[in-house]
Amino acid sequence: MADKKQDVPTIIRKHKSLKKNLVAILLDIQAQHNYLSPESLRVVADALRMPLIDVLGVATFYRAFSLTPRGEHTCLVCMGTACHVRGGPKILEEFERRLEIEPGQTTKDGQVTLETVACLGCCAIGPVVVVDGEYHGHATIRRVGKILEKYYKPSPSDSPAS
Amino acid sequence: MITFRMNNLTVQAEPGSTILETARFYGLKIPTLCFHEGLTSWGGCRLCVVEIGEGTRAKLVSSCTYPVEEGLVVRTDTKRVWAARRMMIELMLAMAPGSKVLQDLASEFGVTRVRFKPKNEECILCGLCVRMCAEQMDAKAIGFQNRGHQRKIATPFNIKNPECRLCGGCIYICPACQLRCQGPQAETTLCNACLTMAPTCLDHYDDLQCWMYDNGQCGTCVREKSAAGKIAETTAASHHEPKVR
C-alpha cells in the first residue's frame, strides 16, 4: 500500500474537489501518508475553497485522523468496562513502560503508535490488545513483551540497557 | 402572524422569528450568553432555555433557536427552567470563575456555590468569537478544534493565522475573558497586538493609547503595569528599543 504514495492533489482530484467529500479526502490522505501534514491540510483547504480552520475542525474531530505521523504498527489497548476490570489499565501501563510513550504517541523510531480504545466488542476474551488488526485476547503483563516482539524490534541504540 | 401563548399571555409573532425574539419584544426577560443580535443563533450556552408543551410532554428547548409555532405553549420562568439555568451557570462558572458576566448571572439566579472543580479556562466555548470572526469580520481565522473535554477555540496549528487582521472582535465580544488584554505572549495566543502594533497600552501606560478604543476601560493596563516587574521585563524584552518620550 505504502509503495506508491498518491500525492494530495491527485487525491483531491479523485474526489472531484467537492466540499462534501472532505472526510473522504482526508481519510485517503491519512491512509496514503500515514498522517495529515499541515501542508496537505492547507492544500485541501485551498482546493475546496474552505477556510483552513474548518478543515482543521474536521481533522481534529475524528479519531481516524492524526496530525502527527503514525507509526508503522498501531497498538490498541482496550479500556472498555470489561477489559478495565480485568486489568486493562495495567496492561496499558506495561506498554507505556516498554515503549516509553503515552497513549496517542508514537515511538521515537516511528515504529509503534500506542492508542486506547473504548470497546472492541469482544469482551469475552478481555483484556484485549490489537496490533495491526490482529487480536490478542487474555492479555497479561507477562505477554505484553511477547506481543511486542512480534512486531517491534527496538534498534540497539534506543534501548538504554544494552 | 403566528399566535401562541407565552406565560399565559396570548402573543403574536412574525413567522420565522424565534421564541426569544418574541419574548424580548413583549418585555419578558430571558438571560442569554451565546446569543448576539448581529450573529446567527447557536443555542450553545443553554441559558435561554424555556419550557414548551404541557403536562408530561413538556420539555426544555433553547428559545434562541426555536422558531415560533401556531398554538405553542411557552413558559419562561418555571421551576424547571430556573433549575436548568442555575446548573448551566454553575457549570460555566467552573470553567471561567473570573468572568464578571458569569458572576453577575450567578448572583442574579442565586447560584451561591460551585460544586465542580474550577478549571480556570477563561473560555466557556460559547462560540461568540468564532461567529464574530466568521460572520462580521469575514476572516474565519479562529474556530473549534478537537472534541469533548478537549474541545477548544484556536487558530489553525495554534500559530498566528494570516487571515487574522488583529481586529480584536473576538476579545471584544467574549463574555468570559477576565482580562481583555494579557500583554505580549507566546505565538499561541489569539491577539498579540502588542507585539505587532505600536504603541501598545503596556508600553505607554501613561498616555493610554489602547488599540481597542476603550482607553483603559478594562483596567488591564493599570493592573499589568503595577502587577510586578516581571511583566515590565517581558515588555521591555519583546520591544527591542523601548521608546522614550
Side-chain angles (χ1 to χ4, degrees):
Chain A
M1 179 195 80
D3 297 347
K4 226 181 175 187
K5 279 186 190 174
Q6 273 185 312
D7 63 345
V8 177
T10 317
I11 292 170
I12 298 170
R13 265 199 302 280
K14 200 176 98 193
H15 292 284
K16 294 170 190 159
S17 307
L18 290 174
K19 226 183 200 179
K20 64 173 182 183
N21 293 337
L22 174 65
V23 173
I25 291 169
L26 293 182
L27 274 173
D28 275 7
I29 297 173
Q30 174 79 45
Q32 298 280 340
H33 299 246
N34 235 358
Y35 82 117
L36 306 174
S37 64
E39 298 77 46
S40 63
L41 287 171
R42 287 210 167 89
V43 172
V44 170
D46 285 346
L48 305 192
R49 292 163 190 240
M50 282 175 78
L52 179 61
I53 189 71
D54 287 358
V55 176
L56 253 147
V58 174
T60 54
F61 187 87
Y62 295 104
R63 276 286 290 273
F65 303 129
S66 168
L67 297 188
T68 48
R70 278 204 181 141
E72 271 172 61
H73 308 288
T74 315
C75 180
L76 295 172
V77 182
C78 185
M79 286 286 127
T81 316
C83 291
H84 189 277
V85 295
R86 290 186 190 183
K90 288 217 171 114
I91 286 159
L92 180 68
E93 252 171 49
E94 182 68 8
F95 272 107
E96 283 175 22
R97 197 180 64 77
R98 279 177 183 262
L99 298 170
E100 295 173 2
I101 50 170
E102 278 174 25
Q105 293 179 337
T106 307
T107 48
K108 269 186 205 146
D109 52 4
Q111 283 220 42
V112 184
T113 301
L114 181 64
E115 274 182 7
T116 59
V117 66
C119 183
L120 292 157
C122 52
C123 307
I125 57 163
V128 187
V129 175
V130 183
V131 187
D132 292 347
E134 205 176 318
Y135 283 64
H136 301 268
H138 304 297
T140 55
I141 292 176
R142 273 196 191 164
R143 289 182 56 196
V144 166
K146 275 191 181 167
I147 295 169
L148 272 179
E149 264 171 35
K150 214 172 156 190
Y151 307 89
Y152 176 56
K153 288 175 188 72
S155 48
S157 59
D158 279 1
S159 52
S162 56
Chain B
M1 290 299 251
I2 288 169
T3 312
F4 65 102
R5 290 185 74 75
M6 179 145 42
N7 289 1
N8 279 333
L9 289 169
T10 306
V11 296
Q12 285 193 314
E14 294 279 344
S17 58
T18 62
I19 296 176
L20 180 72
E21 282 163 355
T22 320
R24 294 224 163 140
F25 179 78
Y26 279 90
L28 291 167
K29 209 176 159 199
I30 295 177
T32 55
L33 243 178
C34 74
F35 175 82
H36 194 277
E37 287 93 340
L39 305 171
T40 49
S41 298
W42 199 54
C45 73
R46 313 311 285 185
L47 267 190
C48 68
V49 283
V50 293
E51 202 172 1
I52 61 165
E54 281 170 304
T56 51
R57 300 199 63 185
K59 59 175 182 175
L60 296 176
V61 296
S62 58
S63 63
C64 68
T65 53
Y66 203 94
V68 292
E69 291 165 3
E70 193 69 48
L72 198 66
V73 180
V74 182
R75 286 173 307 280
T76 64
D77 282 289
T78 58
K79 227 177 177 179
R80 195 177 163 195
V81 166
W82 270 60
R85 284 180 191 162
R86 275 208 195 100
M87 179 53 97
M88 285 320 297
I89 292 167
E90 201 175 328
L91 283 163
M92 286 189 283
L93 211 50
M95 288 274 275
S99 161
K100 172 139 195 329
V101 179
L102 282 173
Q103 289 169 2
D104 288 350
L105 273 167
S107 77
E108 191 182 333
F109 281 84
V111 178
T112 49
R113 56 176 186 160
V114 176
R115 289 164 289 180
F116 308 100
K117 205 176 153 202
K119 280 181 86 181
N120 292 317
E121 297 272 350
E122 307 243 318
C123 178
I124 49 168
L125 300 172
C126 66
L128 273 176
C129 53
V130 175
R131 277 173 289 150
M132 184 79 171
C133 192
E135 292 168 21
Q136 291 292 338
M137 300 306 168
D138 201 23
K140 301 194 178 88
I142 52 173
F144 286 104
Q145 275 178 37
N146 296 328
R147 159 172 69 119
H149 72 284
Q150 290 173 327
R151 196 164 155 92
K152 61 170 184 183
I153 291 172
T155 53
F157 313 116
N158 277 340
I159 52 168
K160 193 180 165 296
N161 190 343
E163 303 283 335
C164 174
R165 303 189 299 270
L166 301 174
C167 70
C170 46
I171 306 170
Y172 168 76
I173 205 162
C174 180
C177 305
Q178 189 203 3
L179 303 169
R180 284 262 159 110
C181 165
Q182 302 191 318
Q185 286 189 359
E187 274 203 317
T188 47
T189 46
L190 284 178
C191 160
N192 263 334
C194 340
L195 287 182
T196 49
M197 293 161 81
T200 76
C201 53
L202 277 167
D203 222 3
H204 303 286
Y205 152 62
D206 291 331
D207 39 9
L208 288 164
Q209 286 184 317
C210 188
W211 60 282
M212 281 187 71
Y213 303 107
D214 44 6
N215 283 344
Q217 294 269 314
C218 58
T220 311
C221 325
V222 183
R223 219 180 315 169
E224 288 282 9
K225 196 80 176 179
S226 60
K230 202 178 163 191
I231 288 147
E233 269 170 41
T234 19
T235 322
S238 59
H239 296 270
H240 301 296
E241 294 171 17
K243 285 177 191 170
V244 184
R245 293 210 169 188

